[in-house]
Amino acid sequence: MSTETRTRFYHRRAPGDLVFLVAVIIAVIIIAHIVFVLLNANSGNDIVSTDGDWAAWFATWFLNLFTPDSHDLNVTLNYGIAAVFYLVVGGILRRIINDL
């Protein structure tokens, strides 16, 4: 296998990409919680309850940022802002770390 072919198959990621991947995983956990709430998923299910616990922990700073009367809107706004925050901060950190 030539060096060029080997490089193509074993492309190494920059350290900032790993940071962004973690931010994306956190955002996916939060977005899954939003979807579970909007679809009225069974909160007694282990997946739904674990995801809800993790999402609440990751979105701690954003809980009750807005307090609309509708529970679904409350979850969508507050958790949605948290997901966007993680993606934006992860993207910024990715760029900063990869430029070092």
Side-chain angles (χ1 to χ4, degrees):
M1 189 180 289
S2 72
T3 305
E4 181 182 329
T5 306
R6 195 175 302 137
T7 304
R8 195 172 344 138
F9 286 121
Y10 301 107
H11 177 64
R12 297 181 64 172
R13 295 286 181 192
D17 294 341
L18 181 60
V19 171
F20 186 68
L21 177 63
V22 170
V24 168
I25 290 170
I26 291 170
V28 166
I29 290 169
I30 294 170
I31 291 168
H33 177 65
I34 294 170
V35 170
F36 289 150
V37 168
L38 293 177
L39 296 177
N40 296 321
N42 178 11
S43 60
N45 180 284
D46 288 340
I47 294 172
V48 176
S49 65
T50 301
D51 181 74
D53 293 341
W54 289 7
W57 189 82
F58 286 127
T60 298
W61 296 340
F62 301 95
L63 299 180
N64 299 320
L65 186 62
F66 296 102
T67 55
D69 292 334
S70 168
H71 175 68
D72 290 353
L73 182 59
N74 185 1
V75 169
T76 303
L77 281 175
N78 294 317
Y79 284 85
I81 290 171
V84 169
F85 170 81
Y86 279 105
L87 292 174
V88 168
V89 170
I92 291 169
L93 289 175
R94 173 194 206 178
R95 184 169 293 192
I96 290 171
I97 293 169
N98 286 344
D99 286 345
L100 294 178

